[in-house]
Amino acid sequence: MCRHLAYLGPPRSVAEVLTDGPHSLVRQSWAPADMRGGGVVNADGYGVAWWPGNGADAVGHRNPAPIWTDPAVLGVLTQVSSTGVVGAVRSATEGMPITAEACAPFTHGPWAFSHNGRIDGWPDSVAALAEWLPAVELLRMPALTDSALLWTLVHRRLAASSPGDALREVVASVLDAAPLSRLNLLLSDGAGIWATAVDHALSVRVDDKHAIVTSEPVDDRGGWVEVPDMHSVEAWPGHLQITEIPGARPGEDGT
Ligand code: GLN
């Protein structure tokens, strides 16, 4: 399964956020430590989004090749700095397209979104959920993947719900339709980070100046909090809230 990371704090180069730490996101692409049976390497492309400042929308760079082959990481991305960065390295779920457009993070306006996991039984299991979306939103999906549908569902919820509620509501409705799904969602607007841990690894470290939410800790400097399964996270510098997501997956109680 893919790995993702969000950073908020003092301006850093986008390249530094991707490569920082002995277990950086770049390293997690070829030597992840906690994939829980979901693939081996994350070599089906990558993406990174950041906020240029002065209230500008999120912008990004995506490449369907492995992150370690892209000269931008040690080149142009060293020259771009931001107070917020979201990065994702991808291990495509079987049968899904390997294109730049299918790589998270997906961006729209201020938002950058990533998904680590899979919708079980895709696409049949969630066809009824997709039917609730206006046809034009389905036609605008960046790629025909489970992650892009999750982003479309989340984005629609953001019109009426807080970011944390939007993620929890989408998790609940997708688990209802496809209970064995793995749904680590990650969302940021450059000021806050919201994420879920649903059958996948997730850690967070917050202090007064920084907030990092990541599939796997990037260093062993301490301060990491492992997010328990079926919990959501809200984080920014100086703020961390971990909330249980209501509902249990079938099988947890032996059923
Ligand atoms: N299912 C998503 C995709 O194919 C995410 C894959 C993953 O987390 N490994 O893009």
Side-chain angles (χ1 to χ4, degrees):
M1 297 285 150
C2 316
R3 306 283 79 176
H4 55 206
L5 177 151
Y7 165 83
L8 294 177
R12 293 176 85 189
S13 84
V14 171
E16 196 187 333
V17 175
L18 297 176
T19 58
D20 185 42
H23 198 60
S24 67
L25 191 68
V26 170
R27 191 180 167 92
Q28 289 177 43
S29 68
W30 53 271
D34 192 7
M35 295 282 273
R36 304 191 183 179
V40 181
V41 289
N42 298 290
D44 298 319
Y46 86 103
V48 62
W50 63 91
W51 289 264
N54 298 322
D57 286 344
V59 294
H61 168 71
R62 294 185 289 176
N63 185 337
I67 189 170
W68 64 83
T69 68
D70 187 346
V73 175
L74 297 177
V76 67
L77 294 178
T78 65
Q79 302 306 310
V80 180
S81 76
S82 179
T83 55
V85 178
V86 175
V89 291
R90 181 169 184 235
S91 167
T93 299
E94 202 182 326
M96 302 214 177
I98 298 177
T99 60
E101 293 75 18
C103 292
F106 304 112
T107 55
H108 191 118
W111 301 107
F113 173 87
S114 171
H115 164 228
N116 163 209
R118 55 186 274 273
I119 292 182
D120 189 51
W122 168 266
D124 307 62
S125 59
V126 285
L129 275 180
E131 271 175 33
W132 285 97
L133 289 166
V136 71
E137 292 192 20
L138 289 171
L139 292 171
R140 280 204 187 111
M141 269 173 44
L144 203 48
T145 64
D146 51 0
S147 304
L149 178 72
L150 288 165
W151 168 226
T152 306
L153 292 168
V154 166
H155 187 249
R156 191 156 180 80
R157 296 267 178 178
L158 285 169
S161 302
S162 69
D165 284 343
L167 294 190
R168 286 186 289 269
E169 287 162 16
V170 168
V171 163
S173 54
V174 173
L175 283 183
D176 207 30
L180 299 180
S181 300
R182 307 180 90 170
L183 300 172
N184 278 33
L185 312 183
L186 177 66
L187 177 71
S188 180
D189 60 359
I193 304 169
W194 296 268
T196 60
V198 177
D199 206 12
H200 245 304
L202 192 72
S203 291
V204 53
R205 182 166 67 195
V206 170
D207 63 26
D208 284 347
K209 288 197 179 138
H210 313 85
I212 306 181
V213 178
T214 173
S215 302
E216 300 178 10
V218 300
D219 60 40
D220 50 15
R221 288 208 313 270
W224 294 106
V225 176
E226 199 174 327
V227 182
D229 192 42
M230 286 298 282
H231 280 70
S232 64
V233 177
E234 178 180 84
W236 51 81
H239 172 88
L240 172 62
Q241 192 177 341
I242 298 182
T243 311
E244 189 168 1
I245 302 172
R249 283 193 305 277
E252 287 184 341
D253 58 356
T255 54

